[in-house]
Amino acid sequence: MLDYETLKLVWWVLVGTLLIGFAITDGMDMGVGSLLPFVARNDTERRIAINTVGPHWDGNQVWFITAGGAIFAAWPAVYAAAFSGFYMAMLLVLFALFFRPVGFDYRSKIDHPRWRSAWDWGLFIGGAVPALIFGVAFGNLLQGVPFRLDELLRVHYQGSLLTALLPLLNPFALLTGLLSLTMLTVHGGLWLQLRASGEVAERSRRLVRLLAPLVTLTFGLAGLWLWSAIDGYRIVAEPSHAALPNPLAKTVVRAAGAWFDIYHSQPLALLAPAVGLLAPLLTALLASARRPGLGFVTSALAMAGIIATAGLAMFPFIMPSSLDPNSSLTVWDAASSHKTLTVMFWAVVIFLPIVLAYTVWCYTRMWGRVTAEEINRNSHSAY
């Protein structure tokens, strides 16, 4: 049986893996939705784009649900604090996500241009808004969240619920939101180039070629901003990592450049930002060369590198506090019990390979380009 400290670290890796899996799979669907108004000029072309993700989007969204469930079970304190501090942002994401299942299911029920156009814009909102807000959330985590814990470990936030959303939309968070939106849009564009046909694939190729370098640019700017203008967090005293969780038992200070400590102490960690910077440029080259399959792989590597960079920079912090740094929640003091982490770990060991195998089987069975001829032959299909 794994010891408590090791399990805490394992679950940090597993949650990060789930977030990367969500970005690669469901992020692809969101990217397609974000590109829908720009790559498709008529109903047939829009149906081509939608049908590339139609059979898979609901399965891909399971990664998002699983990541949320894993955070709830592994880090209940983080789950509770995040749902309080990011409540309005999460509601905005939820309302935007409503458009996806309804849009996919109802778009083709009525053969009327206004009806279908309305649902197409709904699919755009369901793709672009969550992609933006997820990045905004990461930007705010890096700056610190305005909460504190009292002696009973109850969470107290600064500000009211009605004004909670506006402070989240600060300049740095909007930059990271733009990074997230661009990153997922590029990934969706590569999927369209790989699975769509005709002008939809060609327009997607041109957009990927333009947007992929923007991923590198925004990622680099966010890193420079973080280095030069945003203080990080550093633990200067704490109990044993195997101790029972108590967030107030440690001492935390804020210091310039503290978010980059791990890259000084563990140079191998520099691979993550290097991949995050270089992979989008390689993606643009592969898209231009009409190699969308390899481009899709490099795009996935770029997202993994960017997400891993943020996770490594913050480690071991999960949710830093800007009001009281000692109240910050970390990998070591926000975890569930040893037994809970153990049971969940073996559940993952058993069921994750099954889920992955089923997912690969689904993509294999439904592989192929979506063409205008196929769309016209199946004018009454679900999408």
Side-chain angles (χ1 to χ4, degrees):
M1 181 182 293
L2 297 175
D3 62 76
Y4 198 18
E5 180 180 355
T6 302
L7 277 171
K8 291 177 181 179
L9 184 59
V10 165
W11 272 101
W12 176 77
V13 174
L14 286 175
V15 171
T17 301
L18 288 171
L19 291 176
I20 291 172
F22 161 66
I24 293 173
T25 56
D26 202 34
M28 169 188 77
D29 305 334
M30 292 181 182
V32 170
S34 301
L35 285 173
L36 191 59
F38 309 103
V39 299
R41 304 290 171 79
N42 55 52
D43 186 64
T44 298
E45 291 182 347
R46 285 190 285 271
R47 290 188 66 204
I48 289 174
I50 291 170
N51 273 269
T52 64
V53 296
H56 307 292
W57 74 269
D58 47 354
N60 292 340
Q61 193 161 279
V62 171
W63 287 88
F64 179 47
I65 298 168
T66 305
I71 292 173
F72 169 73
W75 304 326
V78 174
Y79 188 88
F83 266 77
S84 298
F86 296 112
Y87 190 76
M88 296 303 295
M90 289 183 178
L91 279 181
L92 183 60
V93 169
L94 183 62
F95 291 151
L97 288 175
F98 286 162
F99 286 105
R100 297 181 69 202
V102 181
F104 281 119
D105 286 342
Y106 282 94
R107 159 182 213 285
S108 294
K109 297 296 184 184
I110 299 176
D111 188 6
H112 191 282
R114 289 185 181 176
W115 172 268
R116 294 189 172 185
S117 177
W119 289 119
D120 290 339
W121 282 107
L123 291 172
F124 168 77
I125 293 171
V129 172
L132 177 69
I133 297 299
F134 291 144
V136 167
F138 266 98
N140 280 280
L141 286 176
L142 288 164
Q143 295 175 90
V145 183
F147 77 96
R148 64 175 179 83
L149 301 175
D150 63 18
E151 64 278 3
L152 299 177
L153 300 184
R154 293 175 300 188
V155 179
H156 300 272
Y157 270 88
Q158 184 181 61
S160 66
L161 182 63
L162 295 177
T163 61
L165 183 60
L166 191 59
L168 299 179
L169 302 176
N170 56 77
F172 177 76
L174 288 174
L175 176 62
T176 56
L178 178 62
L179 167 61
S180 174
L181 176 60
T182 309
M183 179 176 73
L184 299 188
T185 300
V186 167
H187 201 55
L190 283 158
W191 179 254
L192 286 173
Q193 190 182 352
L194 186 64
R195 292 290 314 280
S197 59
E199 284 299 312
V200 175
E202 183 60 23
R203 293 187 194 107
S204 299
R205 183 185 71 85
R206 292 196 293 266
L207 284 171
V208 168
R209 188 176 57 187
L210 292 173
L211 292 175
L214 185 59
V215 176
T216 294
L217 177 62
T218 52
F219 182 48
L221 287 175
L224 290 174
W225 194 333
L226 194 65
W227 170 265
S228 61
I230 297 175
D231 290 343
Y233 291 72
R234 183 180 294 143
I235 298 175
V236 295
E238 61 179 332
S240 168
H241 294 165
L244 292 176
N246 181 6
L248 297 179
K250 63 183 180 298
T251 303
V252 178
V253 297
R254 299 199 67 172
W259 283 145
F260 294 82
D261 285 352
I262 193 168
Y263 300 112
H264 297 295
S265 61
Q266 304 290 336
L268 191 62
L270 288 169
L271 283 174
V275 169
L277 287 168
L278 297 177
L281 300 178
L282 182 57
T283 299
L285 293 175
L286 290 168
S288 297
R290 292 181 167 82
R291 301 295 298 274
L294 288 175
F296 190 81
V297 173
T298 57
S299 175
L301 287 174
M303 291 193 292
I306 290 169
I307 294 171
T309 297
L312 288 168
M314 292 180 62
F315 184 82
F317 292 93
I318 306 171
M319 194 168 177
S321 168
S322 59
L323 291 184
D324 175 23
N326 292 340
S327 295
S328 300
L329 301 174
T330 73
V331 172
W332 313 121
D333 59 29
S336 291
S337 68
H338 190 186
K339 184 174 182 179
T340 299
L341 297 183
T342 300
V343 171
M344 289 170 52
F345 172 76
W346 288 112
V348 170
V349 170
I350 294 170
F351 291 108
L352 184 59
I354 297 174
V355 172
L356 290 174
Y358 176 72
T359 301
V360 171
W361 181 81
C362 287
Y363 276 93
T364 302
R365 295 294 297 173
M366 290 181 274
W367 190 256
R369 286 191 180 272
V370 182
T371 64
E373 291 76 15
E374 179 185 350
I375 292 296
N376 292 329
R377 267 198 320 270
N378 300 281
S379 57
H380 297 290
S381 65
Y383 310 111

